[in-house]
Amino acid sequence: MPSPSSRGTGARTLAWRRITAWLIDWLWILILPVLLVPIGVTLYATGFRLPTWGWNLVSFLILVMPVTLWAAWRESGRFQATPGKRVRGLMVVDARSGQPVGFGRALLRNTVKIAIPWELGHTVAFHFATGAGEQPPGYLVVLTVLTYALMFGWAGSLFLPSGRTPYDRLSGARVIRRDA
């Protein structure tokens, strides 16, 4: 049985693998905004305007939701991993049985991991961008703090001895090395 210190080292190694997998995935994910920006610029240049909540909704529907669905599809599919996880030799499994997770659980995992923090970040960014230097309302300050707390909390939880994040626990999943 591994000693507590070797388990900690393994958890840190797995955490860094997961972080680098995430960075690789975001290189893929950034293709979508790169394709969408010229469309948005063209619409804006032609005078198309939406209220802040409208832009936020559009960005959720054409960016956040597709990325979340894609990640869930990849993690529940035959690869059990996004491209970044595959490159880093990781896969998502059921925490108890080690079997693949279904699409519903992968969607829950990625909604909590990706969609909620991203949408909170978009909401904050859109409101600050359209606030024209005025004092931000209290709810916006709370959303900003919540957004950063989630991001740092998710990242920090990777380094816990269990290596399981809150979104892993909520979905009953675990990220393991493919060769484990």
Side-chain angles (χ1 to χ4, degrees):
M1 179 166 181
S3 69
S5 62
S6 68
R7 280 193 307 244
T9 303
R12 282 191 300 277
T13 301
L14 184 63
W16 285 112
R17 280 180 177 266
R18 289 179 72 173
I19 289 168
T20 55
W22 177 83
L23 292 171
I24 292 166
D25 287 338
W26 278 95
L27 290 175
W28 283 101
I29 290 166
L30 285 174
I31 293 170
L32 184 56
V34 166
L35 295 174
L36 293 173
V37 164
I39 296 168
V41 168
T42 302
L43 286 171
Y44 192 81
T46 62
F48 183 78
R49 300 291 185 272
L50 288 174
T52 301
W53 67 265
W55 284 116
N56 206 9
L57 177 62
V58 167
S59 73
F60 178 79
L61 293 174
I62 66 173
L63 189 57
V64 178
M65 189 171 66
V67 167
T68 304
L69 290 168
W70 169 79
W73 168 69
R74 289 296 307 223
E75 290 180 357
S76 66
R78 66 184 172 104
F79 297 120
Q80 295 175 258
T82 58
K85 283 184 185 72
R86 282 189 53 89
V87 166
R88 298 299 292 144
L90 303 172
M91 60 191 230
V92 178
V93 298
D94 179 276
R96 287 197 177 112
S97 71
Q99 297 299 309
V101 295
F103 181 77
R105 288 178 45 208
L107 181 59
L108 172 62
R109 182 179 185 279
N110 285 286
T111 296
V112 176
K113 174 186 172 185
I114 297 172
I116 291 172
W118 196 353
E119 188 54 33
L120 286 172
H122 267 183
T123 300
V124 167
F126 279 124
H127 283 279
F128 273 115
T130 59
E134 59 191 52
Q135 179 70 25
Y139 76 89
L140 196 54
V141 173
V142 170
L143 278 180
T144 302
V145 170
L146 179 60
T147 301
Y148 279 102
L150 277 175
M151 292 186 314
F152 287 115
W154 285 182
S157 67
L158 291 169
F159 293 94
L160 295 173
S162 71
R164 290 183 70 204
T165 61
Y167 49 85
D168 290 332
R169 291 180 184 282
L170 184 63
S171 64
R174 176 179 295 282
V175 177
I176 63 169
R177 290 192 51 172
R178 188 166 287 285
D179 57 10

